[in-house]
Amino acid sequence: MFEYQNHDMEREISSESGSIVQLVKQKQTNVPMAKKLIPLEVKPVIQSKILDELKVLQELKSPYLVEFYGAYASNEGINICMEYMDGGSMDLVLKKVNRVPENILGKIAESVLMGLYLIRESHDLNHNNLKPSNILVNTKGLIKISDIEVSVDLTKEKFIENLQPKCYYSPEKISGLSSKLNGDVWSLGLSLVEMAIGRYPIPVPSEDEIVNLFQNDPQGLSSRSEDASSIQSMTIFEILEYILNKPPPSLPKSCFSEEFLDFLDTCLRKEPSERGDLKSLLQHRFIQKYKNEPVDTVISWINKIKQSSQLFYI
Ligand code: ADP
């Protein structure tokens, strides 16, 4: 058995989002792992229930899912040990480059849909918290999703945290309705728009803003300047109201392919029954267009980003 609890700390990866993520190494095998500590003040009985609910994640093994090794409780909260993804998460990538090129977005969309399809087919699960920080990449060119919400109690504890400072929940979930019918597809659409333009797409960017971005950085590989990542200053309540009442984001034809724009349009329908489902989206022309793009494309893209931000990825 893989003793995930037995590890040495290497370095902290992130402590920005309420939880603390560290790179650790398993003592006997030296296998690198990402350990996420979720600080929780709950009764021991709830803690055991959460650990029990998380066990299902051990059954989910696929090249499209970040592998879950196991979880345990400590005085500080719940510790989750998982596969370490050495290219980081897409929110991290977007702190280093202005935007993600469309061919890479095609590979991301395909991998995310495959991951979502697999958890739905094998365990009747939805992800329920899909966003750029839960889409990770490694230097083998694999793109995987993490943080599938399987614990009702943990979801309850993290609900408010998950809404801030940006919201990827579908309009029906924001309204308190079930988002089981393709709520994840909405979140994928919104995440793809964010990766395509390099900023959270609420409020919806003007065409000029995007055209300028493309003129200044045609390949999408220029390093991001410090101020370019600033988020629009809307409160979370303004963002929720905007998602509920305004048209969903769309992108200009002059900068993106017709296939990508149609894919986004199918994901970002406010009415869930009009949204594409996982199976049909996997057959979509946008996915087919980049399906045969070799894995080397992703490898050289992520390596270029890593090389140009050495200090960041120590
Ligand atoms: P959030 O709550 O916003 O989803 P997390 O607490 O899950 O964020 O993760 C915070 C950061 O830690 C991520 O943005 C990512 O950079 C890093 N991280 C999380 N999981 C892993 C992993 N398995 N491998 C490498 N980095 C990770």
Side-chain angles (χ1 to χ4, degrees):
M1 200 182 121
F2 185 60
E3 291 180 19
Y4 53 85
Q5 281 137 305
N6 222 349
H7 51 251
D8 292 320
M9 152 84 167
E10 290 279 306
R11 68 174 168 91
E12 183 170 301
I13 301 176
S14 153
S15 57
E16 277 172 21
S17 59
S19 38
I20 300 165
V21 181
Q22 296 175 336
L23 169 63
V24 299
K25 278 209 172 137
Q26 206 279 338
K27 273 195 173 132
Q28 284 80 31
T29 58
N30 248 1
V31 169
M33 301 188 289
K35 186 184 83 165
K36 176 167 163 172
L37 167 67
I38 305 171
L40 276 186
E41 283 180 29
V42 291
K43 293 186 187 134
V45 56
I46 302 286
Q47 216 170 43
S48 316
K49 191 163 166 255
I50 292 174
L51 290 176
D52 225 42
E53 288 170 324
L54 289 174
K55 278 187 188 142
V56 67
L57 294 174
Q58 262 159 339
E59 296 166 19
L60 301 173
K61 296 212 192 303
S62 147
Y64 306 104
L65 305 174
V66 172
E67 186 169 352
F68 171 89
Y69 299 129
Y72 62 94
S74 64
N75 289 339
E76 294 82 29
I78 301 275
N79 298 270
I80 294 178
C81 294
M82 61 187 138
E83 174 184 9
Y84 172 61
M85 298 291 283
D86 63 356
S89 54
M90 290 310 298
D91 66 319
L92 210 64
V93 168
L94 285 181
K95 287 187 178 149
K96 291 292 126 191
V97 287
N98 289 321
R99 62 185 178 87
V100 179
E102 199 184 294
N103 59 339
I104 303 292
L105 293 175
K107 301 307 282 179
I108 292 175
E110 182 191 2
S111 300
V112 171
L113 286 172
M114 288 296 288
L116 294 176
Y117 186 71
L118 188 123
I119 62 172
R120 172 79 63 83
E121 286 296 294
S122 67
H123 286 73
D124 200 24
L125 287 172
N126 293 295
H127 187 290
N128 284 330
N129 190 20
L130 190 69
K131 52 185 175 178
S133 64
N134 290 334
I135 302 173
L136 295 106
V137 58
N138 67 18
T139 48
K140 292 182 185 143
L142 297 175
I143 298 156
K144 307 187 178 200
I145 52 176
S146 73
D147 254 2
I148 302 161
E149 297 213 328
V150 289
S151 161
V152 182
D153 291 285
L154 199 55
T155 305
K156 231 188 286 167
E157 293 291 327
K158 287 177 57 201
F159 188 80
I160 299 296
E161 184 194 306
N162 285 344
L163 278 176
Q164 296 186 4
K166 309 167 190 172
C167 171
Y168 297 87
Y169 288 158
S170 60
E172 68 276 13
K173 185 157 177 167
I174 294 172
S175 308
L177 303 171
S178 164
S179 68
K180 286 209 157 133
L181 192 67
N182 300 325
D184 288 336
V185 168
W186 169 278
S187 310
L188 169 62
L190 204 62
S191 302
L192 286 171
V193 177
E194 175 164 344
M195 293 182 254
I197 62 170
R199 80 148 167 92
Y200 181 63
I202 310 290
V204 173
S206 68
E207 181 158 350
D208 281 354
E209 187 186 328
I210 299 173
V211 170
N212 274 341
L213 174 71
F214 273 66
Q215 274 168 357
N216 296 337
D217 183 10
Q219 304 301 319
L221 273 172
S222 304
S223 295
R224 180 179 280 270
S225 61
E226 279 310 312
D227 60 337
S229 59
S230 63
I231 303 179
Q232 310 298 301
S233 55
M234 280 171 95
T235 67
I236 189 61
F237 298 106
E238 286 166 336
I239 291 177
L240 299 183
E241 206 181 347
Y242 195 103
I243 295 173
L244 288 178
N245 300 318
K246 296 269 170 47
S250 61
L251 296 174
K253 289 192 180 87
S254 55
C255 300
F256 299 96
S257 73
E258 186 273 319
E259 292 92 340
F260 183 42
L261 298 183
D262 188 72
F263 183 87
L264 290 176
D265 177 54
T266 317
C267 293
L268 290 171
R269 297 280 170 90
K270 289 171 88 172
E271 171 54 47
S273 61
E274 290 175 9
R275 229 171 269 152
D277 60 68
L278 300 176
K279 208 168 177 181
S280 64
L281 284 170
L282 273 166
Q283 299 307 319
H284 192 279
R285 286 173 291 130
F286 173 58
I287 301 298
Q288 300 307 318
K289 184 172 178 179
Y290 296 111
K291 208 177 174 59
N292 296 325
E293 187 97 18
V295 71
D296 286 356
T297 312
V298 181
I299 295 177
S300 61
W301 169 74
I302 193 65
N303 277 331
K304 261 187 216 142
I305 296 174
K306 283 190 78 162
Q307 277 156 18
S308 62
S309 41
Q310 284 291 352
L311 278 174
F312 183 62
Y313 283 105
I314 300 163

